Amino acid sequence: MNPQTAEKLKDLKGVLRSDFYHGYATAATQVEGAWNVDGKGESIWDKFAHTPGKVKDGSTPDDAVLSYYKTKEDVALMRSYGVTGYRFSLSWTRIVPLGGKDDPVNEKGIEYYNGLIDELLANGITPFVTLFHWDIPQALEDRYGGMLDKDAYTPDFVRYAGVCFERFGDRVKHWITYNEPGVYTLAGYAAGVHAPARSSNRKLNEEGDSSTEPFIVGHTELVSHAYAVKLYREKYQPEQKGTIGITLHGNFSLPWDANDSLDVEAAQRALEFEIAWYADPVHKTGDYPASMRAQLGDRLPTFTPEESKLVLGSSDFYGMNSYTTFFVRHLKTPPHIDDHSGNVEKLDTNSEGVSRGPASDTYWLRTAPGGFRLLLNWIWKRYGVPIYITENGTTAKGETEPSESVLDDKFRIEFFEGYIESIGRAVKEDGVDIRSYFAWTFTDNWEWAAGYSDRFGVTFVDFESKEKKRYPKKSATVIKELFQLMIKPK
Ligand code: GAL
């Protein structure tokens, strides 16, 4: 950390709880590779990436960053970064290759994750495990349309979750059922740019209906999440004593014109469509927000009384992924049938020409630490449960080779300094209860439909090299120092 930053942050010394977890988050598809090795089945992302034209650089996650073969090396590197936790996801098709409740378990898959979990624990790193980070088995998609069929899908997901609790729950005490159910539905079923590639846009997708399917799939995610939590709480939690919850995406929204009440309302509505869509049913009311019902009517599914009861309170914490902030302006025309944002426009500058932040190498992402602090407050005030920050990070322009200047990643360092300071201030000055921070991400990886082009890692990966060689960037050291300063010693 440079002396100016140290001076600026000195009042944040020891403001985070002594049991605060910090580390990195990853997802199986993005890092493991070994896509068809040791009995792993095909996921919708394997199929998507092998379909020409779907991924920006034409790449596949076949090898990703080969983390499947690098458990010891990666855990050692993580340890050198000073982490106390590691959030990773399990590949459903490595564990149950065909996915269904009566389909066989693949012992080789179990063995791989046992090895990873044991290696982490041996190095003093606590595993945070996500059951679903977007990679549903292709076989379930083919059998009954995946999450479009809630009744067929739910028992399959719950059985998969049960296998994981049973086999790993003696050592895994932090479970996350779904990663960002909202991005899964919006990118996969509304925009159609992610697997399973469905939308109303016939130029892009052969099938789908952007005006209904995202809400149906979102509903399936919430209900199946709640049934998996019920299973954990009834059968495993009493003995295993772990926690379980769901991780939601959400960026902050500020009014484009703070003096226009319609923009102020629009910003609030945007937050409800993006975040409260999932968070209200789980953490507040057991139902969708009124603003969504008003715009969407019957296109938004209804919870049965039993579902509502199960969903409400089904997360022991608020799992929060957030990256940026937008300016939001109300639209004067009635909502489009395919609108999912609350009839608003999202802009890079406000009515006074102020920018939402410096641009990264990813079109939607700009550095906006002030909005992050406001969002932490918004979530805390509305839901009042402890917040686990499970993802946050950035790309930076021009990271094409592991040169000295690329590894001294100033843009990313500034991003992390700003956001981590916001966490400290939210805790110290606003009284928000925050328990973890997982940066996105440990190494550069396969960034879904952007392929290998968007580098989010604090470790540079030479994708050209056969062994996907890793080179630490300076941001890894800065994050370590920030938490050394801010976490209260035990
Ligand atoms: C999140 C997602 C991650 C990663 C990140 C950066 O939405 O959970 O897998 O892709 O965005 O784009």
Side-chain angles (χ1 to χ4, degrees), residues 336-383:
H336 188 276
I337 184 88
D338 290 338
D339 174 63
H340 306 87
S341 316
N343 206 28
V344 302
E345 200 180 356
K346 297 196 174 180
L347 299 162
D348 287 338
T349 45
N350 71 7
S351 60
E352 289 167 353
V354 176
S355 161
R356 67 189 178 94
S360 68
D361 200 29
T362 300
Y363 70 97
W364 52 267
L365 209 181
R366 285 168 178 249
T367 305
F372 188 60
R373 179 170 170 187
L374 293 170
L375 179 59
L376 285 163
N377 275 277
W378 188 87
I379 290 171
W380 175 242
K381 218 171 128 200
R382 189 170 175 113
Y383 302 115

Side-chain angles (χ1 to χ4, degrees), residues 105-160:
V105 170
N106 175 33
E107 288 302 324
K108 286 269 186 201
I110 303 274
E111 227 173 84
Y112 164 64
Y113 291 115
N114 272 335
L116 174 57
I117 292 163
D118 291 344
E119 187 67 17
L120 289 166
L121 292 170
N123 283 277
I125 302 172
T126 301
F128 279 65
V129 176
T130 309
L131 295 173
F132 182 82
H133 200 126
W134 304 353
D135 46 356
I136 182 176
Q138 183 60 40
L140 301 186
E141 209 63 24
D142 296 340
R143 252 178 232 170
Y144 50 72
M147 292 193 204
L148 286 169
D149 187 338
K150 181 187 70 179
D151 295 338
Y153 170 84
T154 299
D156 287 346
F157 178 69
V158 172
R159 186 285 190 129
Y160 157 61

Side-chain angles (χ1 to χ4, degrees), residues 6-15 421 424-425 428-429 485-486:
E7 178 59 29
K8 190 167 167 227
L9 302 186
K10 70 171 194 271
D11 69 305
L12 295 180
K13 192 168 189 305
V15 295
E421 175 179 0
R425 304 232 168 267
K428 182 182 173 216
E429 292 159 26
L485 170 83
M486 285 170 47

Side-chain angles (χ1 to χ4, degrees), residues 205-382:
N205 305 124
E206 281 163 28
E207 288 176 28
D209 181 345
S210 308
S211 75
T212 54
E213 291 186 358
F215 306 111
I216 295 170
V217 169
H219 196 72
T220 298
E221 290 178 289
L222 282 168
V223 171
S224 56
H225 147 81
Y227 277 102
V229 170
K230 178 175 158 41
L231 173 71
Y232 185 69
R233 286 185 177 160
E234 285 174 358
K235 189 162 170 196
Y236 298 98
Q237 203 172 37
E239 195 188 321
Q240 296 182 352
K241 306 213 178 327
T243 58
I244 188 161
I246 190 165
T247 272
L248 307 178
H249 84 287
N251 295 315
F252 197 59
S253 293
L254 284 168
W256 179 75
D257 179 352
N259 297 315
D260 181 342
S261 63
L262 291 176
D263 283 350
V264 174
E265 274 169 36
Q268 185 63 19
R269 202 165 56 244
L271 285 163
E272 292 184 355
F273 269 72
E274 187 172 349
I275 299 176
W277 173 6
Y278 295 91
D280 275 15
V282 171
H283 294 291
K284 191 174 158 73
T285 57
D287 198 3
Y288 297 115
S291 55
M292 290 187 77
R293 182 65 68 196
Q295 182 179 317
L296 302 167
D298 291 348
R299 285 188 286 125
L300 192 63
T302 310
F303 291 102
T304 65
E306 193 201 344
E307 287 173 352
S308 168
K309 228 170 105 191
L310 267 186
V311 168
L312 182 61
S314 60
S315 187
D316 294 333
F317 52 85
Y318 189 102
M320 173 191 181
N321 288 0
S322 187
Y323 289 82
T324 195
T325 294
F326 288 90
F327 291 114
V328 167
R329 193 179 188 179
H330 72 280
L331 290 174
K332 296 194 173 76
T333 46
H336 188 276
I337 184 88
D338 290 338
D339 174 63
H340 306 87
S341 316
N343 206 28
V344 302
E345 200 180 356
K346 297 196 174 180
L347 299 162
D348 287 338
T349 45
N350 71 7
S351 60
E352 289 167 353
V354 176
S355 161
R356 67 189 178 94
S360 68
D361 200 29
T362 300
Y363 70 97
W364 52 267
L365 209 181
R366 285 168 178 249
T367 305
F372 188 60
R373 179 170 170 187
L374 293 170
L375 179 59
L376 285 163
N377 275 277
W378 188 87
I379 290 171
W380 175 242
K381 218 171 128 200
R382 189 170 175 113

Side-chain angles (χ1 to χ4, degrees), residues 25-28 30 87 133-134 179-180 183-184 194 247 249-251 321-323 362 364-365 390-395 440-441 445-450 454 456:
T26 63
Q30 296 182 268
R87 173 178 176 238
H133 200 126
W134 304 353
N179 175 72
E180 299 188 348
V183 172
Y184 182 71
H194 276 190
T247 272
H249 84 287
N251 295 315
N321 288 0
S322 187
Y323 289 82
T362 300
W364 52 267
L365 209 181
T390 41
E391 274 182 36
N392 172 244
T394 190
T395 53
W440 187 269
T441 179
N445 65 25
W446 190 73
E447 182 52 36
W448 308 111
D454 283 30
F456 274 89

